[in-house]
Amino acid sequence: MRQNIKRLILLMHCPDQKGIIAAVTNFINSRNGNITYIDQYVDRLNGAFFMRVAIESMNNSINFNTFKSDFVKEFSSSLNLKCNFYQEDKLPKLGVFVSKYDHCLYDILTQQRSGKLKCEIPFILSNHIDLEYIATQFDIPFYHVPITKETKQEAEIEQLRILTKHKIDCIVLARYMQIVSKNLIDVYPSKIINIHHSFLPAFPGAKPYHSAFERGVKIIGATSHYVTEILDSGPIIEQDIARVSHEHEVLDLINRGQDLERIVLLRGLKLHCDRKIMVYNNKTIVFT
Amino acid sequence: MRQNIKRLILLMHCPDQKGIIAAVTNFINSRNGNITYIDQYVDRLNGAFFMRVAIESMNNSINFNTFKSDFVKEFSSSLNLKCNFYQEDKLPKLGVFVSKYDHCLYDILTQQRSGKLKCEIPFILSNHIDLEYIATQFDIPFYHVPITKETKQEAEIEQLRILTKHKIDCIVLARYMQIVSKNLIDVYPSKIINIHHSFLPAFPGAKPYHSAFERGVKIIGATSHYVTEILDSGPIIEQDIARVSHEHEVLDLINRGQDLERIVLLRGLKLHCDRKIMVYNNKTIVFT
Amino acid sequence: MRQNIKRLILLMHCPDQKGIIAAVTNFINSRNGNITYIDQYVDRLNGAFFMRVAIESMNNSINFNTFKSDFVKEFSSSLNLKCNFYQEDKLPKLGVFVSKYDHCLYDILTQQRSGKLKCEIPFILSNHIDLEYIATQFDIPFYHVPITKETKQEAEIEQLRILTKHKIDCIVLARYMQIVSKNLIDVYPSKIINIHHSFLPAFPGAKPYHSAFERGVKIIGATSHYVTEILDSGPIIEQDIARVSHEHEVLDLINRGQDLERIVLLRGLKLHCDRKIMVYNNKTIVFT
Amino acid sequence: MRQNIKRLILLMHCPDQKGIIAAVTNFINSRNGNITYIDQYVDRLNGAFFMRVAIESMNNSINFNTFKSDFVKEFSSSLNLKCNFYQEDKLPKLGVFVSKYDHCLYDILTQQRSGKLKCEIPFILSNHIDLEYIATQFDIPFYHVPITKETKQEAEIEQLRILTKHKIDCIVLARYMQIVSKNLIDVYPSKIINIHHSFLPAFPGAKPYHSAFERGVKIIGATSHYVTEILDSGPIIEQDIARVSHEHEVLDLINRGQDLERIVLLRGLKLHCDRKIMVYNNKTIVFT
């Protein structure tokens, strides 16, 4: 079957070596691909090469499956290359996990509806029912999966069942407030995005605004990152900050911080959904 | 002897209570003082009241010493008040400590010469001689006080001798790279300003740019703060940040960071020299 | 009838003169008012004094009407003072005008629902029906008032009817895209807030992102301001910016800009609804 | 004569067409060049392709002159390409024009001395003698070329003589305060860098801080740009901003602005000296 594609995103990395760009661009040219974006990055410390290429098929003349398998055949051993291809018209399916805070959830839903956040949202999942009304407002299925210390394991099995059923590509923890366990992380490596309400690595863990207030900082921050097994230590995607002063009490920090949280999470999500991020050695390479 | 003053800065704090502002402004009005600036802050958590007032003497009609002693007599017990008065025309004397980096030193000297940093700089002191030529360039006495593990105690005695000789009011550690000991801190409480080349409390201690690179942060920062006995944990005066990306190696972070360091240190110094900072509970109240 | 109030906001201005703060704080103290916030600003160029005071009634012991009339009696002629009192528990009624863009509207509605934007929203009004579904989603009355060159006058009469019917205190033009006429502005002086999608005074008028692209700026901005008769020239409330580069085409500027627009409009709205803004000589004094 | 080079910077542009990157990287590879940096930009609106490449000569095996002429021969007609090569070890010669403000001058000199601003500074030129002492301080020749309405033409002839004598590559107007005429601009196209003390295109011309104060903006800015015949309208290199409030009088804006000016000018200068800027259609393409 012939697959008609419009635009293909290639994310690749390999050991740094001479002639990679020429080789890859030659290949794409020879297959009638039109390169509309190309950016590369060389990690000299680790001798690693990274590239993002956007390829347009002229007159839909590229057969995606053939192109992809030929590309892998050509380069996977010769360049020792690892790559991922994404069709731009196949939107990633995003599972949204929330708890009781509505600000990040509202931003995700409204930006997705406006077409700014390019993904599908098959469901919202929460350990509480407080935000179910927003799911209803936006006509999205809502799963209530309560979690207690005792039921955590069962709850995660239920979560995995829901995620699998909806063929979820990535998960966003939109102020989910629960620690996600290894079982889930292993199934979605570099595919679970969290928003932490501090400028990591400052103030990891619980109640960062209280700690920021205690320390008397003049700037607060928020950090979106991929979730790994070590709490608040995964690859950082995006960060931003806001000025505060001695006049701000904890509640003021929380209020100012929530504006940061929604913006920083959304930026991270957009970068992920637009296939602009590669993860390497617990860091992100972000092609902008 | 009658003291002719133009402008007086009052920094005061006391337990929060009704009628403080009225009482203090009534007093100043009754003594022919003209209030050209007044700002107050109430720390509700600790029930503490803070105020900064700039008082102009009309036709130099205020006797500073009388005014001050009357003020203290009136309020020190009735309001349980602590206060400091500063004459705006008496510039603070700033002792500058450096090591080998020139960027903060250059900024301090050029801004002082331009009249933006309102202080006197009686000397520059360093444990190395690398920057002596800059002292010469700006015609400022330079003291070379080398420090080794063995000679640290003697070196500090020498430093104290120099500081005392020049009647220094405050000290700036302009990338001094040495840990200042309790002996010095006790003599200059909340009067030693350091620039730390990270966004505290992230990355305290040595080599913060290396740590920031390791962690893959997307924003770096700098922090000016008062020095206390606990390393990099004193009251924060000012912070600022700069965006970085995966493309920046450690050296790039260092270069970008140095621009931050000089700006954040200078802002902190200016605030201090302009008598705009009060310290309370290891935090700063900054009247801007 | 005795009015039980919790918290009263006073915004006042008068010619600058000695003893204002003492007089006003003395008055409030003598009436059992507890000052929980006080900030003042002196415009030396124009010799004008501005103050914002938050007054708590202890045990609800203040009769608002008496307090207010006594205050006016005491000071309006002696200080030549103008003042406005607001009860914190009486939320301002905000009329929301939109056209076809949803991003600002969504932000206003979700932040109001979360309790961050402290106002009532009696209706949404638009010259198009595109966003009616959002009004439905949030269960808010929607008025469709189409405007053509010919019907502009009638449309404005209809708008005024709706505004009056709902006892609207202030209006937000949330990317309304229509020029509001003198008729409306005269009824709501310093009470109509607009978001302009540029860093005013750069790029006033239509299509600012196109102009910014043409000029090759490295930073774009957004400005929330009060509407006056002269287009995009009213008192500026809040501005913010985002970095752009040569890589960004007009559409990229629009997308980046929309995040700015919603944040800058929201900040302006919050300041207005929290009674933190005074307008004077086509500028805003913002007490933060 | 064989020229031993370490690193070569190539800036090129041509009509956008398929296979450029492959062709150019193939050429460099075939001549033993090692590409250590490559970045490209396609201006789709104008169908123009831009690229910056850093090429290392392995074991100094590249003859620069041959390489360059072969490159031009190969591509200038086939790709209709325009290019410039720069040897990284040949520092550009920067002529510094000042008037009476010292802040930008100090920053340029100290950063050049620290090795951060990679250029030579053969002289400082001014229409006043106020800053001669700084030239002396840094041991740099100082030319005093006074300018009056009547002597402007002669003064410019003298300036050109000095510029030619010192084989100047580019000029920085470090708050020079004089309008540079077409005669000079024609000799140094896209090679004269100015700092304008506003966020262009807002407030072009004289006294922008006064205008910003008048307008009541909440953010001020500075802009470094190439000088063209139309005042303050040349290609923008870099911009940055600082927050201000109603409390800031004109003098406060000037003081805050000067910190912006020196930073924004320095960033622009560094980009220029590091050969990271291309100019096209009155805009800059900045490779970072």
Side-chain angles (χ1 to χ4, degrees):
Chain A
M1 196 200 82
R2 205 176 180 291
Q3 227 173 334
N4 279 345
I5 54 160
K6 283 167 187 161
R7 217 166 173 231
L8 201 61
I9 305 294
L10 161 63
L11 293 177
M12 57 167 269
H13 74 103
C14 61
D16 191 25
Q17 53 206 289
K18 230 177 130 173
I20 308 172
I21 300 174
V24 170
T25 57
N26 281 336
F27 178 93
I28 296 168
N29 286 336
S30 73
R31 302 295 171 115
N32 284 319
N34 190 27
I35 296 172
T36 60
Y37 172 97
I38 181 163
D39 202 1
Q40 59 285 322
Y41 163 64
V42 178
D43 177 343
R44 297 194 178 283
L45 218 64
N46 296 298
F49 177 91
F50 302 83
M51 192 154 70
R52 181 180 187 268
V53 190
I55 306 155
E56 258 176 22
S57 167
M58 321 245 237
N59 308 317
N60 297 322
S61 59
I62 300 177
N63 178 308
F64 173 48
N65 287 333
T66 312
F67 183 90
K68 189 176 161 177
S69 66
D70 286 0
F71 186 91
V72 171
K73 208 179 297 168
E74 180 96 7
F75 296 119
S76 69
S77 65
S78 72
L79 295 180
N80 195 13
L81 171 148
K82 285 192 173 41
C83 65
N84 282 298
F85 286 92
Y86 303 95
Q87 280 182 253
E88 217 177 52
D89 57 350
K90 289 198 176 169
L91 297 182
K93 289 179 171 42
L94 179 70
V96 180
F97 284 34
V98 295
S99 188
K100 292 182 170 182
Y101 288 108
D102 62 7
H103 56 289
C104 286
L105 176 60
Y106 261 134
D107 247 38
I108 290 168
L109 298 180
T110 60
Q111 291 281 302
Q112 191 255 4
R113 283 293 154 89
S114 302
K116 304 286 163 52
L117 175 62
K118 294 189 179 64
C119 66
E120 293 176 20
I121 298 179
F123 67 82
I124 297 165
L125 180 154
S126 180
N127 53 333
H128 295 286
I129 56 161
D130 301 57
L131 302 184
E132 183 169 18
Y133 76 98
I134 297 180
T136 308
Q137 231 184 346
F138 285 80
D139 201 20
I140 295 174
F142 180 86
Y143 293 101
H144 178 218
V145 182
I147 291 189
T148 63
K149 225 175 178 178
E150 291 72 32
T151 64
K152 181 144 193 180
Q153 213 169 350
E154 296 161 54
E156 283 184 344
I157 290 168
E158 173 65 3
Q159 287 177 353
L160 273 169
R161 197 192 57 75
I162 296 165
L163 290 162
T164 308
K165 179 187 159 195
H166 289 283
K167 293 178 182 150
I168 287 302
D169 294 301
C170 51
I171 300 168
V172 58
L173 310 181
R175 299 300 312 276
Y176 175 52
M177 312 292 281
Q178 295 287 321
I179 293 174
V180 168
S181 82
K182 194 177 178 312
N183 300 325
L184 209 65
I185 297 168
D186 282 351
V187 182
Y188 293 95
S190 300
K191 287 174 178 169
I192 308 178
I193 296 174
N194 184 43
I195 179 70
H196 184 73
H197 39 317
S198 87
F199 189 84
L200 288 176
F203 312 125
K207 293 196 175 287
Y209 291 124
H210 289 77
S211 308
F213 175 77
E214 269 312 303
R215 181 62 186 90
V217 295
K218 299 301 183 186
I219 286 177
I220 56 168
T223 305
S224 58
H225 65 96
Y226 288 114
V227 174
T228 58
E229 272 186 78
I230 306 166
L231 185 65
D232 296 331
S233 299
I236 292 171
I237 302 171
E238 170 69 349
Q239 303 187 290
D240 212 340
I241 58 100
R243 293 203 160 265
V244 295
S245 81
H246 62 273
E247 295 186 271
H248 296 99
E249 300 180 9
V250 172
L251 196 64
D252 300 312
L253 300 192
I254 290 173
N255 283 333
R256 297 211 155 200
Q258 291 189 347
D259 270 348
L260 278 181
E261 292 164 26
R262 53 197 193 108
I263 285 161
V264 169
L265 178 55
L266 208 62
R267 282 198 209 133
L269 267 180
K270 282 180 183 172
L271 290 169
H272 181 92
C273 290
D274 292 346
R275 323 299 195 177
K276 291 183 170 172
I277 309 177
M278 297 186 76
V279 172
Y280 186 73
N281 275 0
N282 207 45
K283 295 184 189 180
T284 59
I285 293 138
V286 179
F287 294 106
T288 50
Chain B
M1 195 198 82
R2 204 173 182 291
Q3 226 173 333
N4 278 346
I5 54 159
K6 284 166 184 162
R7 215 163 176 237
L8 201 61
I9 305 296
L10 160 63
L11 293 177
M12 57 166 269
H13 74 104
C14 60
D16 191 25
Q17 54 208 291
K18 233 177 130 172
I20 308 172
I21 300 174
V24 171
T25 57
N26 281 337
F27 178 93
I28 296 168
N29 287 337
S30 73
R31 303 294 172 116
N32 284 319
N34 190 26
I35 295 172
T36 61
Y37 173 95
I38 181 164
D39 202 2
Q40 59 286 320
Y41 163 65
V42 178
D43 176 344
R44 300 198 173 281
L45 219 63
N46 297 296
F49 178 91
F50 302 84
M51 190 153 69
R52 182 180 185 268
V53 190
I55 306 154
E56 259 176 19
S57 166
M58 321 244 237
N59 308 319
N60 299 321
S61 59
I62 301 177
N63 179 309
F64 173 48
N65 287 332
T66 312
F67 184 90
K68 190 175 158 176
S69 66
D70 286 1
F71 186 91
V72 170
K73 208 179 296 169
E74 179 96 7
F75 298 118
S76 69
S77 64
S78 72
L79 295 180
N80 193 13
L81 170 148
K82 287 193 170 41
C83 65
N84 282 297
F85 286 92
Y86 303 94
Q87 281 182 253
E88 217 177 52
D89 56 351
K90 289 197 177 170
L91 297 183
K93 288 179 174 37
L94 179 69
V96 180
F97 284 32
V98 295
S99 188
K100 293 183 169 182
Y101 288 109
D102 62 7
H103 55 289
C104 286
L105 176 59
Y106 262 134
D107 248 38
I108 290 168
L109 298 180
T110 59
Q111 290 281 303
Q112 190 257 3
R113 284 292 153 90
S114 304
K116 305 286 162 51
L117 175 62
K118 293 190 180 64
C119 66
E120 293 175 21
I121 299 179
F123 68 83
I124 297 164
L125 181 153
S126 180
N127 52 334
H128 295 286
I129 57 161
D130 302 57
L131 302 184
E132 183 168 16
Y133 77 99
I134 297 180
T136 308
Q137 232 184 345
F138 285 80
D139 202 20
I140 294 174
F142 180 86
Y143 294 100
H144 178 217
V145 183
I147 292 188
T148 62
K149 227 178 178 177
E150 291 73 31
T151 65
K152 182 147 193 180
Q153 214 169 349
E154 298 161 52
E156 284 184 344
I157 291 168
E158 173 64 4
Q159 288 176 353
L160 273 169
R161 197 192 56 76
I162 297 165
L163 290 162
T164 309
K165 178 187 159 196
H166 289 283
K167 293 177 181 151
I168 288 303
D169 295 301
C170 51
I171 300 168
V172 59
L173 310 181
R175 296 301 311 276
Y176 174 53
M177 312 292 281
Q178 296 286 322
I179 293 174
V180 169
S181 81
K182 193 177 179 314
N183 300 325
L184 210 65
I185 298 168
D186 282 352
V187 183
Y188 293 95
S190 300
K191 286 174 179 170
I192 308 177
I193 296 174
N194 183 43
I195 178 71
H196 184 72
H197 40 315
S198 86
F199 189 84
L200 288 176
F203 312 125
K207 293 196 175 286
Y209 292 125
H210 290 76
S211 308
F213 175 77
E214 270 311 303
R215 182 62 187 90
V217 295
K218 299 302 185 186
I219 286 176
I220 57 169
T223 305
S224 58
H225 65 96
Y226 288 114
V227 174
T228 58
E229 272 187 79
I230 305 164
L231 185 66
D232 297 331
S233 298
I236 292 171
I237 303 171
E238 170 67 351
Q239 303 187 289
D240 212 340
I241 58 99
R243 293 205 159 264
V244 295
S245 81
H246 62 273
E247 295 186 272
H248 296 101
E249 301 180 9
V250 172
L251 196 64
D252 300 312
L253 300 192
I254 290 173
N255 283 333
R256 299 210 153 201
Q258 292 190 346
D259 270 349
L260 279 180
E261 293 164 26
R262 55 197 192 109
I263 286 161
V264 169
L265 178 55
L266 208 63
R267 282 198 209 132
L269 268 180
K270 283 181 183 172
L271 290 168
H272 181 91
C273 291
D274 292 346
R275 323 300 195 175
K276 291 184 169 171
I277 310 176
M278 298 186 76
V279 172
Y280 186 73
N281 275 0
N282 207 44
K283 295 184 189 182
T284 59
I285 293 139
V286 179
F287 294 106
T288 51
Chain C
M1 194 198 84
R2 206 176 180 290
Q3 227 172 332
N4 279 345
I5 54 158
K6 285 167 184 160
R7 214 162 177 238
L8 200 61
I9 305 295
L10 160 64
L11 293 177
M12 58 167 269
H13 74 104
C14 61
D16 191 25
Q17 53 207 289
K18 233 178 129 172
I20 308 172
I21 300 174
V24 171
T25 57
N26 281 336
F27 178 94
I28 296 168
N29 287 336
S30 73
R31 303 295 171 116
N32 284 319
N34 190 27
I35 296 172
T36 58
Y37 172 96
I38 180 164
D39 201 3
Q40 58 286 320
Y41 163 65
V42 178
D43 176 344
R44 301 197 173 280
L45 218 63
N46 296 296
F49 177 91
F50 302 84
M51 193 154 69
R52 182 178 186 269
V53 189
I55 305 154
E56 259 177 20
S57 166
M58 321 244 241
N59 308 319
N60 298 322
S61 59
I62 301 177
N63 179 310
F64 173 49
N65 287 333
T66 311
F67 183 90
K68 189 175 162 175
S69 66
D70 287 0
F71 186 91
V72 171
K73 209 180 297 167
E74 179 95 5
F75 297 117
S76 70
S77 64
S78 72
L79 296 180
N80 193 13
L81 170 147
K82 285 191 171 45
C83 65
N84 282 297
F85 286 93
Y86 303 95
Q87 281 183 252
E88 219 178 51
D89 56 350
K90 288 198 178 170
L91 297 183
K93 288 179 173 38
L94 178 70
V96 181
F97 284 33
V98 295
S99 188
K100 292 183 171 183
Y101 289 108
D102 61 8
H103 55 290
C104 286
L105 176 59
Y106 262 133
D107 247 38
I108 291 168
L109 298 180
T110 58
Q111 291 280 304
Q112 191 255 4
R113 285 293 153 89
S114 303
K116 305 286 162 53
L117 175 62
K118 294 190 178 64
C119 66
E120 292 176 21
I121 299 179
F123 67 82
I124 297 164
L125 180 153
S126 181
N127 53 334
H128 295 287
I129 56 160
D130 302 58
L131 302 184
E132 183 167 17
Y133 77 99
I134 298 180
T136 308
Q137 230 184 347
F138 284 80
D139 202 20
I140 295 173
F142 180 86
Y143 293 100
H144 178 218
V145 183
I147 292 189
T148 63
K149 226 176 177 178
E150 291 73 32
T151 64
K152 180 145 195 182
Q153 214 168 348
E154 298 161 52
E156 285 184 342
I157 291 167
E158 173 65 4
Q159 288 177 354
L160 273 169
R161 197 192 56 76
I162 296 166
L163 289 161
T164 308
K165 179 187 158 195
H166 290 282
K167 294 177 181 151
I168 287 303
D169 294 300
C170 52
I171 300 169
V172 59
L173 310 181
R175 298 300 311 275
Y176 175 52
M177 312 292 281
Q178 296 287 320
I179 293 174
V180 168
S181 83
K182 193 177 180 314
N183 299 325
L184 209 65
I185 298 167
D186 282 352
V187 183
Y188 294 94
S190 300
K191 286 174 180 172
I192 308 177
I193 295 174
N194 184 42
I195 178 71
H196 184 72
H197 41 315
S198 86
F199 189 84
L200 288 176
F203 312 125
K207 294 198 174 287
Y209 292 125
H210 290 76
S211 308
F213 176 77
E214 269 312 303
R215 182 61 186 91
V217 296
K218 300 301 184 188
I219 286 176
I220 56 169
T223 305
S224 59
H225 64 97
Y226 288 114
V227 174
T228 58
E229 271 187 78
I230 306 166
L231 184 66
D232 297 331
S233 298
I236 292 172
I237 302 171
E238 169 68 350
Q239 303 188 289
D240 211 340
I241 58 100
R243 294 204 159 264
V244 295
S245 81
H246 61 272
E247 295 186 272
H248 296 100
E249 301 180 8
V250 172
L251 196 64
D252 300 312
L253 300 192
I254 291 172
N255 283 333
R256 297 210 156 201
Q258 291 190 347
D259 270 349
L260 279 180
E261 293 164 26
R262 54 196 191 109
I263 286 162
V264 169
L265 178 54
L266 208 63
R267 282 197 209 134
L269 268 180
K270 283 180 183 172
L271 290 169
H272 181 92
C273 290
D274 291 346
R275 323 299 196 176
K276 292 184 170 172
I277 309 176
M278 298 186 76
V279 172
Y280 186 73
N281 275 358
N282 208 43
K283 294 185 190 180
T284 59
I285 293 140
V286 179
F287 294 106
T288 50
Chain D
M1 195 198 84
R2 206 174 180 291
Q3 228 173 332
N4 279 346
I5 54 160
K6 284 166 186 161
R7 217 165 174 231
L8 202 61
I9 305 295
L10 161 62
L11 294 177
M12 56 166 270
H13 74 104
C14 61
D16 190 24
Q17 52 208 290
K18 228 177 132 172
I20 308 172
I21 299 174
V24 171
T25 56
N26 281 336
F27 178 93
I28 296 168
N29 286 336
S30 73
R31 303 294 171 116
N32 284 319
N34 190 27
I35 296 171
T36 60
Y37 172 95
I38 182 164
D39 202 2
Q40 59 286 319
Y41 163 65
V42 178
D43 177 344
R44 297 194 178 282
L45 219 62
N46 296 296
F49 177 90
F50 303 84
M51 190 153 72
R52 183 180 185 266
V53 190
I55 306 155
E56 259 176 19
S57 167
M58 321 244 238
N59 307 317
N60 297 320
S61 59
I62 299 177
N63 179 309
F64 173 48
N65 287 332
T66 312
F67 183 91
K68 188 175 162 177
S69 66
D70 286 1
F71 187 91
V72 170
K73 208 179 296 168
E74 180 97 6
F75 298 118
S76 70
S77 65
S78 72
L79 295 180
N80 194 13
L81 170 147
K82 286 192 173 41
C83 65
N84 282 298
F85 286 92
Y86 304 94
Q87 281 182 251
E88 217 178 51
D89 55 351
K90 289 197 176 171
L91 297 182
K93 290 180 171 37
L94 179 69
V96 180
F97 284 33
V98 295
S99 189
K100 292 183 169 182
Y101 288 110
D102 62 7
H103 55 289
C104 286
L105 177 60
Y106 262 134
D107 247 39
I108 290 168
L109 298 180
T110 59
Q111 291 280 303
Q112 191 255 3
R113 285 292 154 90
S114 304
K116 304 285 163 51
L117 176 61
K118 293 189 179 63
C119 66
E120 293 176 18
I121 298 179
F123 67 82
I124 297 164
L125 182 154
S126 180
N127 53 333
H128 295 287
I129 56 160
D130 302 57
L131 302 184
E132 184 169 16
Y133 77 98
I134 297 180
T136 307
Q137 230 184 349
F138 285 81
D139 201 20
I140 294 174
F142 180 85
Y143 293 101
H144 178 218
V145 183
I147 292 188
T148 62
K149 227 177 179 178
E150 291 73 31
T151 64
K152 179 145 194 180
Q153 215 169 349
E154 297 161 53
E156 285 184 344
I157 290 168
E158 174 65 3
Q159 288 177 353
L160 272 168
R161 197 193 58 74
I162 295 165
L163 290 162
T164 309
K165 179 188 159 196
H166 289 283
K167 294 180 181 147
I168 287 302
D169 294 301
C170 52
I171 299 168
V172 59
L173 309 181
R175 297 299 311 275
Y176 175 52
M177 311 292 281
Q178 295 288 320
I179 292 174
V180 169
S181 82
K182 193 178 179 312
N183 299 324
L184 209 65
I185 298 167
D186 282 351
V187 183
Y188 294 95
S190 299
K191 287 174 178 169
I192 308 176
I193 296 174
N194 183 44
I195 179 71
H196 184 73
H197 39 315
S198 87
F199 188 85
L200 289 176
F203 312 125
K207 294 197 174 285
Y209 292 124
H210 290 77
S211 308
F213 175 77
E214 270 312 302
R215 183 60 187 92
V217 294
K218 299 301 184 188
I219 285 175
I220 57 168
T223 306
S224 58
H225 64 96
Y226 288 114
V227 174
T228 59
E229 272 186 76
I230 306 164
L231 185 65
D232 297 331
S233 299
I236 292 171
I237 302 171
E238 170 68 350
Q239 305 188 290
D240 213 340
I241 58 101
R243 293 205 159 264
V244 295
S245 82
H246 62 273
E247 295 186 272
H248 295 101
E249 301 181 8
V250 172
L251 196 64
D252 300 312
L253 300 193
I254 290 173
N255 283 333
R256 298 210 155 202
Q258 290 190 348
D259 270 349
L260 278 181
E261 292 164 26
R262 54 196 193 109
I263 285 161
V264 169
L265 179 55
L266 207 64
R267 281 196 209 135
L269 268 180
K270 283 181 182 172
L271 290 169
H272 181 91
C273 291
D274 292 346
R275 324 299 195 177
K276 290 183 169 172
I277 310 177
M278 298 186 77
V279 172
Y280 186 74
N281 275 1
N282 207 44
K283 294 184 188 179
T284 59
I285 293 138
V286 179
F287 294 106
T288 51

